[in-house]
Structures are given as structure tokens and as C-alpha cells.
Amino acid sequence: MQRVIIDCDPGIDDALALMLALSSPELEIVGITTVSGNVSADLGGRNAKKVLRQMKRLDIPVYIGEMKPLKVPYTDASDTHGRDGLGESFLPEVQGDFPGISAVDFLEGALDEEELSVIALGPMTNLARLFQKRPDLIRRIPRFVSMGGSFRSHGNCSPVAEYNYWCDPQGAEVCYDCAARAGKIIEMVGLDVTRKIVLTPSLLSYMERLDPETGSFIRRITRFYMDFHWEQERIIGCVINDPLAVAYFIDPSLCGGFDAFLTVAGEGVCRGQTVVDSMNFWKKEPNSRVLADADVKRFLRMFLSRLIPGAGDLAYLEQLYRMEY
Ligand code: RIB
Ligand code: CA
């Protein structure tokens, strides 16, 4: 059992990632912190609670984080995730207050208490603020997995940048710089691998057939996202980035990659681009593990079988996989 903190911006794929994490016996989620990204950190907090209610885990605390990036103006992704951040499903609010401390204060206190791994699924503003105050705490994070960036794949919010690192490029850079100074590695689950993870209408129907309650919840929050993918990229289905970061944290053999020094462009046309020194021109120690390939079939088996008991039936999955991928 690995005790982790999940930092996120729910967000539709964040919601699916939380569902996977909550369905995985290997993880004990000590707390969820939200950050402005897909939606504002406070709306993300309300959405995280809606997912916790769906999963019957409202015992897990949710802390609201930074409302805007370190330097650049805040730009949300409501065009992709809907005005409510969960695909305009407009799920009823969860009553109850949030803890009286901020996400950054929670992170500082928790890491002072014990070593905890971090799975970051949104812009890295909270973590950057933490490391600006306490750079020593990165050493208290055994594994730091970040969904973000891109090595060779094109961007998803500019020709070269992935949204999380584009939304707060200085936040991402502060984290990778802190990792470099501490001799730590941030495991970057970027678009090179997450683009391979597409939730298709057939997979969704399969999930609904086996578990109507969970399946209909997932359909309700992904419908808008699927429409967006068709309109923007003529994709039938939707790319679910964040669940791969959780799955990879649980089973690192799902993805392959390499260690390299990485920095993040902060300004101009390349804002948010991850500059990966894969040929070691700069002779700097690695501060990242760049994931470049993923075993899609094994991911699907983990994702489906954990969210929907019985959905991991290999024979049917093989048939579905051959049809879909
Ligand atoms: O670029 C994809 C990432 O940005 C995902 O984490 C998505 O939820 C958004 O935060
Ligand atoms: Ca996210």
C-alpha cells in the first residue's frame, strides 16, 4: 500500500483518474489537492467531492489550491471540460465545507510528517509554491509522477505545448529545477503516451452493459468530451490522459522511457514546451523520466477491470481491442 497525494484539476479525465485510484488497493489517498487548470481550483474542489461521493469515499479530504499560475494569466479549459468542469453534467453539489487550510499548507504539513508520493494531474502551481517555500520537501517525495509535457508528440493547446505545462509554465519549471537541484526525478507521463489512451464509445457501452450505474456516470461526464474530440480532431471517443498517470504509478512496467535533463520554456511561441535533452548536449544530470511508449492493452485491462468488476475478461477485451485499436 503506497500512501499518496493526488494534485489535480478535475476535469473529466482527472475524475476518471480519481476513480481508478480509488478502485486500486495499492494506493491509500491521504488527500486530494486541487489547482486551477481545466477549471478554477475551488470548482475543482467541488468536482473532486462529486467523484468522491460517486465512489463512496467522502472520507478523503480535499484541499483547495492556487487559483492562478505563478506568472502568466490563468486560462481555463472549459471549452474542453465544460462550464462545470465535468462535461456539463451539472451533478448536484456535495454539501459541507473544505478544511480550513490551503493545499500548499496541507502539502507542507503532510510531507513534514511523513514521506508521501505525489501524482500530479494538473498544472504544477501548488507544488511550485510548495518548493519555493520548502525546496527540501521534494526529497520527502519517493515518487513524483506528473501528467504533462510532451517529448516528440505535438501539443494539445499550441503546436508544441501540453495544457498542464502551458497553463503554468513557470510552475512546471520551478518543479523540474527543484528536482534537478535535489537530484530527484519527476516521471513525466506526457502526450507521447497518453494520446494512445482513447476511451471509445464501444468501451463505454461495454462498461455500461456490465455496470449500468458506474457506466452511466462515466457516460454522463464524458459525452461533452467526446463531442469536443470529434469537433477538434475528428476522433471517435476521447483521450483520457490522467488515468494513465495513475495506472503507471501503480505499475511502472506499463510505460517505457528514458531519463534526461528537461526544462520548460516559459514565454513566447514555445511557452510550456518541454525541452528534453535526450542527447545530453548540456551534460546535466537527469531530472525527469520521459515516458515514450505505453502498453495500451494492459492499461485498458487495469482501467476496466478495476472500475467495472468483471470487465477485465481477457477474451472479450481481446475481441474489443482488435476491433478498436
Ligand atoms: O493536457 C492534458 C492535461 O491537461 C490533463 O491532465 C487534463 O485534465 C488537463 O489538466
Ligand atoms: Ca488534469
Side-chain angles (χ1 to χ4, degrees), residues 10-240:
I12 294 163
D13 58 332
D14 301 72
L16 297 174
L18 289 173
M19 293 175 77
L20 176 59
L22 291 160
S23 307
S24 298
E26 301 87 344
L27 303 183
E28 180 180 354
I29 303 174
V30 173
I32 294 171
T33 52
T34 65
V35 63
S36 285
N38 292 321
V39 292
S40 62
D42 51 352
L43 176 50
R46 294 183 357 235
N47 287 344
K49 282 191 168 184
K50 293 172 187 174
V51 177
L52 291 174
R53 174 179 58 199
Q54 172 65 21
M55 301 301 287
K56 301 179 177 52
R57 289 302 310 274
L58 281 167
D59 57 293
I60 294 175
V62 178
Y63 301 86
I64 310 296
E66 296 296 301
M67 291 295 283
K68 59 183 178 47
L70 295 193
K71 182 178 178 187
V72 299
Y74 168 46
T75 306
D76 70 24
S78 53
D79 61 333
T80 310
H81 293 261
R83 288 163 292 165
D84 67 340
L86 290 179
E88 310 219 334
S89 53
F90 300 116
L91 300 170
E93 296 296 325
V94 175
Q95 298 312 311
D97 297 330
F98 290 88
I101 62 168
S102 70
V104 175
D105 288 346
F106 161 70
L107 285 162
E108 181 179 13
L111 288 167
D112 268 336
E113 279 295 308
E114 63 177 301
E115 291 194 349
L116 290 164
S117 287
V118 171
I119 304 174
L121 305 175
M124 297 218 272
T125 316
N126 289 336
L127 294 150
R129 286 293 185 209
L130 175 72
F131 299 144
Q132 284 177 325
K133 183 180 177 187
R134 294 282 306 276
D136 59 300
L137 289 179
I138 198 167
R139 290 191 175 86
R140 303 276 286 168
I141 301 174
R143 287 189 64 202
F144 184 165
V145 171
S146 164
M147 191 281 133
S150 182
F151 172 49
R152 293 228 188 280
S153 182
H154 60 81
N156 63 1
C157 63
S158 89
V160 294
E162 175 280 325
Y163 173 76
N164 285 334
Y165 292 6
W166 177 88
C167 180
D168 189 354
Q170 286 73 26
E173 175 54 18
V174 163
C175 290
Y176 280 99
D177 179 60
C178 185
R181 294 169 192 275
K184 291 287 288 186
I185 289 279
I186 297 175
E187 297 167 76
M188 187 184 96
V189 180
L191 295 177
D192 308 274
V193 286
T194 67
R195 271 213 165 92
K196 301 171 190 279
I197 311 297
V198 179
L199 178 66
T200 65
S202 301
L203 277 175
L204 190 48
S205 299
Y206 176 53
M207 296 172 87
E208 274 187 305
R209 293 282 183 196
L210 292 176
D211 180 342
E213 206 274 324
T214 302
S216 61
F217 177 83
I218 294 172
R219 178 178 295 279
R220 205 166 158 193
I221 68 170
T222 57
R223 181 181 297 115
F224 184 95
Y225 201 38
M226 290 205 181
D227 292 346
F228 175 84
H229 278 74
W230 171 252
E231 284 146 25
Q232 295 298 313
E233 298 191 41
R234 285 292 182 264
I235 291 174
I236 297 287
C238 54
V239 174
I240 52 172

